[in-house]
Amino acid sequence: MTYIYSFLFCGLLCLIAQAIIDNTKLSAGHVTSIFVVAGAFLDIFSIYDKIIEFVGGGALIPITSFGHSLIHGALERTTDSGFLGIAMGMFDLTATGITSAIVFSFIFALIFRPKN
Amino acid sequence: MESKKYQKIVDKHQPKEPKTFNLLAAFITGGIIGLLANLLIDVYTYYFHIPTKTAGIYMLITFIFLACLLTAIGVFNNLVKKGKMGFIIPITGFAHSMQSAILDYKKEGPIYGFGSNVFKLAGSVILYGVVSAYIFAMIRYLIFGG
């Protein structure tokens, strides 16, 4: 059942993004930034956590989950470090994604040549 | 007045993009990527006995690797033309933006080419993500206590 929810959730997010791009002057950069902010916003009341529980992998792959991971890592640290934990834990959960993206893109940039 | 007339003529002759088709393409490609993500998590937990939370991270790394590789080969741009936002909204779009930025500036050298341009497109995502997450986390910390 989570497979169907994954398909529907991720597909619906992409459909909304496409609708925004087709009907307004916003670019892909605008839409991804808006989605990240939306993902972080949904975590104020732990809504995105419930969506992940319900949907599974389909909720982890869209860029909204990046915003969710940022705020989630920040809040996890506040339990033992207090207010400072927000800054300390900001990249706790997203670090693997960002690090691997940097490393892979560097290695591939050394190997491959740009097309036109 | 002149520019308005000109704009009208331009609008008339611009090729109209099939909007419903775009929406459908984005929905289906995005849906398939979501489904694959869920499948990968299940595969990792079932065959490699990794706990679900770690399997999610491995899944993300797999998708980032694939997106970087496909962008470097030059396939990803054609995929985006077909699948539209279905490839941009998932984490593949984030990896693609970094890989294409670093490749585009390759000829300017390792420091001013690679180094200063990696986050050219992905930077806005990180900046607005961090700023908004900081504000929202502060709100939640002050109201709910973490």
Side-chain angles (χ1 to χ4, degrees), chain B:
Chain B
M1 199 60 209
E2 276 295 301
S3 63
K4 262 187 186 173
K5 259 185 191 169
Y6 174 76
Q7 195 57 43
K8 259 187 184 172
I9 295 166
V10 167
D11 284 343
K12 207 193 272 177
H13 290 280
Q14 233 165 21
K16 272 185 186 153
E17 287 188 0
K19 279 185 183 172
T20 45
F21 179 78
N22 280 354
L23 289 178
L24 203 69
F27 179 69
I28 291 173
T29 44
I32 289 171
I33 287 183
L35 202 150
L36 281 178
N38 205 17
L39 185 73
L40 262 181
I41 289 180
D42 280 359
V43 167
Y44 286 154
T45 45
Y46 191 78
Y47 289 104
F48 300 100
H49 306 291
I50 302 167
T52 319
K53 244 192 173 171
T54 325
I57 295 170
Y58 276 113
M59 177 272 290
L60 285 180
I61 293 174
T62 316
F63 270 99
I64 288 168
F65 177 81
L66 284 177
C68 284
L69 183 67
L70 289 177
T71 308
I73 301 171
V75 182
F76 203 90
N77 269 332
N78 297 334
L79 287 176
V80 171
K81 269 178 205 153
K82 288 203 183 77
K84 307 282 169 189
M85 293 306 280
F87 285 107
I88 302 291
I89 289 301
I91 199 83
T92 47
F94 181 78
H96 163 69
S97 67
M98 282 175 71
Q99 181 70 65
S100 56
I102 205 172
L103 268 181
D104 282 348
Y105 291 92
K106 190 179 178 180
K107 60 173 181 287
E108 284 175 37
I111 303 297
Y112 295 107
F114 280 23
S116 31
N117 289 304
V118 205
F119 288 111
K120 194 154 208 179
L121 301 161
S124 65
V125 170
I126 294 178
L127 171 76
Y128 288 110
V130 168
V131 171
S132 64
Y134 192 83
I135 293 167
F136 294 146
M138 203 139 50
I139 292 170
R140 188 166 154 162
Y141 182 68
L142 292 176
I143 296 174
F144 302 107

Side-chain angles (χ1 to χ4, degrees), chain A residues 2-3 6-7 10-11 14 18 22-23 36 43-44 46 57 61 63 70 82-83 102 105-106 108-109 112 115, chain B residues 19 22 26-27 30-31 38 42 63 72-73 84-85 89-91 98-99 106 114 125 129-130 136 138 140-141:
Chain A
T2 47
Y3 287 95
S6 289
F7 184 90
C10 198
C14 296
Q18 187 66 43
D22 279 351
N23 296 313
V36 170
D43 213 49
I44 297 180
S46 301
I61 191 93
I63 200 78
L70 283 173
F83 192 72
I102 292 173
S105 54
F106 182 72
F108 289 138
F112 292 98
K115 297 273 188 296
Chain B
K19 279 185 183 172
N22 280 354
F27 179 69
N38 205 17
D42 280 359
F63 270 99
I73 301 171
K84 307 282 169 189
M85 293 306 280
I89 289 301
I91 199 83
M98 282 175 71
Q99 181 70 65
K106 190 179 178 180
F114 280 23
V125 170
V130 168
F136 294 146
M138 203 139 50
R140 188 166 154 162
Y141 182 68

